[in-house]
Amino acid sequence: MADWETLRALADEGNEKALDRLADLADEGDDAEALNELLDEGSERAGEHLTRRAVATNDLVELQRIRDAGYDEAGEVLDRLLDQGA
C-alpha cells in the first residue's frame, strides 16, 4: 500500500484514484481537516465522506457548506432532509 506522501504526489499529478484513496485514509483516520482540503481540491470521495458525517450528526449547515464547496449530492441530501422536516 502506498503511503500518504506517495498518494499525495500521484493526486497532485491528476490521479483520481490516488485522490480517492487519500480521502478514504483521511476518513479512516477521522481527519476532517484533510477531508475538507481534499473536497476543496475537487475530491468527490471526500464529499461523500463529509456528507455521510454531516447526515449522521444532522448538521444541515455543514451539508450546505459541502454543497457550496462543489459536492452537489450534499445539496440533494439537504433538500431531502428539509422536505422531511429535519
Side-chain angles (χ1 to χ4, degrees), residues 15-86:
N15 187 306
E16 291 294 322
K17 287 187 180 192
L19 191 62
D20 287 347
R21 187 64 189 128
L22 284 172
D24 291 342
L25 288 174
D27 185 56
E28 290 167 13
D30 199 28
D31 190 344
E33 183 178 334
L35 283 170
N36 282 306
E37 290 173 7
L38 292 166
L39 177 62
D40 290 343
E41 294 175 34
S43 171
E44 293 283 315
R45 183 77 55 92
E48 291 171 17
H49 290 307
L50 289 166
T51 298
R52 177 183 44 78
R53 289 167 174 242
V55 168
T57 60
N58 202 35
D59 190 339
L60 304 182
V61 173
E62 178 67 1
L63 286 169
Q64 179 68 47
R65 189 200 66 76
I66 296 165
R67 184 181 87 179
D68 291 347
Y71 187 65
D72 293 334
E73 285 79 0
E76 294 169 12
V77 171
L78 175 60
D79 289 344
R80 280 195 306 271
L81 290 173
L82 290 171
D83 287 341
Q84 295 172 3

